[in-house]
Amino acid sequence: MTHNITKLSVLLAGVMAAGIAAADYPTKTITMVIPYGAGGGTDVLARTLQPALEEALGQTIVVSNVPGGGGILGFTQVANAKPDGYTVTIPNNVIFATEGMGNATYTYSDFDYLGNVMSEDYVVAVRADGPWDSWEALVDDMQANPGTVSFGFSGAGGSTHVASEILADMVGYRARQIPHDGSSDAVAAAMGGHIDALMLNLADLASGLRSGRLIPLVSLGDDRLEDYPDVPTLSELGHELSLTNWRGIAAPAGVDAEVKAAWAAALEAATSDAKVQEAIANQGAEVDYMAPGETLDARMAELAESFIRTAQRLK
């Protein structure tokens, strides 16, 4: 009897300690794993959010770049971390795409989604001094010369790879698909003339577009880009396809409700910050805050179904 009471006391003490720890969250430095190299859209977003999140959470956030495998290496590190809220990442559609391609050991349900931050369009861009000044001209060339135009994206089996293949199937062309280890590498390759065109999110293209060395040809979003009003959407050109990406905060599945609440409050504060909003707008994206819960989980499930199904066809 005494032995059972002792075991119960130890168990209750552990539960109480865990509850206190969750309620006091955070009490130490948080690591934000960015599964790409420095300079890409995800890295820029992390460093944009960092000061506002540190102020809201009252703790230091260390941004750790872990590139490799088109995001798989970094996301795997997070999926395998302790679900205590001290290791997080910034995911997007690549989580679903890599699962569908069978390239990753994790699934999208191995993460808890702590909030959505922004949404952005997929965009096709080319070198400004290249031979194409319109999407129609590029398509004509790719259709007339199948497999000769090189089309870059970020990571084999990733979000932009799947989006690029969906686009090729919809429009009816064949290009040489060239993966890169992160969006910044893809942008550098395009600006250097190593690839002819590339498919990325608008935020990932920001540095190349602002430099004037890249120009956007078409957007896959529902509406024309605010900063590039002359760039048509794919639907305007007669193709019924709309693709957008998202970026938010995720942690290993199993974090406490108190941790989720802390991140919800911090992300709401950060996305309401004028400097953060301006920085996201300057990347050509828009703040799209969604709190953790049923609505966000349903959105993730819907996106997962679409991207996983498409990615499976590409294997």
Side-chain angles (χ1 to χ4, degrees):
M1 181 69 174
T2 302
H3 179 65
N4 289 338
I5 292 174
T6 301
K7 287 176 64 178
L8 181 60
S9 298
V10 171
L11 179 61
L12 289 173
V15 171
M16 290 175 64
I20 292 171
D24 289 344
Y25 176 89
T27 60
K28 61 181 181 180
T29 298
I30 298 166
T31 298
M32 182 178 288
V33 176
I34 304 305
Y36 309 105
T42 302
D43 180 68
V44 171
L45 177 61
R47 297 178 194 281
T48 297
L49 291 171
Q50 187 179 17
L53 289 175
E54 287 181 332
E55 182 177 353
L57 291 168
Q59 285 292 340
T60 299
I61 295 176
V62 175
V63 177
S64 175
N65 295 90
V66 185
I72 291 176
L73 188 61
F75 288 134
T76 300
Q77 179 176 313
V78 175
N80 292 333
K82 186 177 180 181
D84 56 7
Y86 291 100
T87 303
V88 300
T89 188
I90 297 183
N92 55 49
N93 287 337
V94 72
I95 290 279
F96 316 131
T98 51
E99 179 180 345
M101 291 289 289
N103 296 334
T105 57
Y106 54 76
T107 69
Y108 84 94
S109 58
D110 288 329
F111 299 89
D112 276 346
Y113 300 91
L114 305 181
N116 191 57
V117 173
M118 59 184 276
S119 296
E120 55 188 333
D121 296 337
Y122 292 103
V123 175
V124 175
V126 295
R127 206 170 67 253
D129 60 354
W132 309 286
D133 59 3
S134 71
W135 172 243
E136 294 92 334
L138 176 60
V139 170
D140 287 345
D141 203 345
M142 291 189 292
Q143 290 176 335
N145 303 284
T148 59
V149 173
S150 54
F151 218 100
F153 47 84
S154 175
S159 163
T160 49
H161 181 190
V162 173
S164 183
E165 296 283 4
I166 291 172
L167 178 62
D169 288 345
M170 171 64 73
V171 176
Y173 63 80
R174 186 159 57 85
R176 287 190 294 118
Q177 303 282 15
I178 310 294
H180 294 80
D181 196 7
S183 58
S184 55
D185 284 352
V187 169
M191 291 193 299
H194 304 295
I195 55 175
D196 298 314
L198 73 167
M199 157 84 79
L200 288 174
N201 303 126
L202 184 59
D204 291 324
L205 288 166
S207 61
L209 297 177
R210 286 207 192 92
S211 72
R213 296 173 66 183
L214 296 181
I215 57 172
L217 296 186
V218 69
S219 165
L220 274 63
D222 293 323
D223 302 306
R224 289 201 175 200
L225 305 170
E226 183 175 345
D227 292 336
Y228 304 95
D230 294 334
V231 176
T233 65
L234 194 66
S235 59
E236 287 181 281
L237 300 177
H239 300 285
E240 294 184 6
L241 177 66
S242 175
L243 286 178
T244 57
N245 201 4
W246 61 280
R247 284 188 173 100
I249 301 292
V255 299
D256 288 309
E258 291 84 355
V259 174
K260 290 183 179 180
W263 271 99
L267 285 170
E268 186 171 16
T271 53
S272 299
D273 183 278
K275 291 182 179 179
V276 171
Q277 292 179 344
E278 181 180 3
I280 289 176
N282 286 340
Q283 293 184 66
E286 60 181 18
V287 170
D288 183 19
Y289 171 69
M290 292 182 68
E294 292 183 3
T295 301
L296 180 58
D297 289 345
R299 181 181 185 184
M300 295 298 100
E302 182 179 358
L303 285 168
E305 181 183 3
S306 173
F307 266 79
I308 290 172
R309 183 175 62 249
T310 301
Q312 285 173 337
R313 293 202 303 266
L314 300 178
K315 290 196 295 184

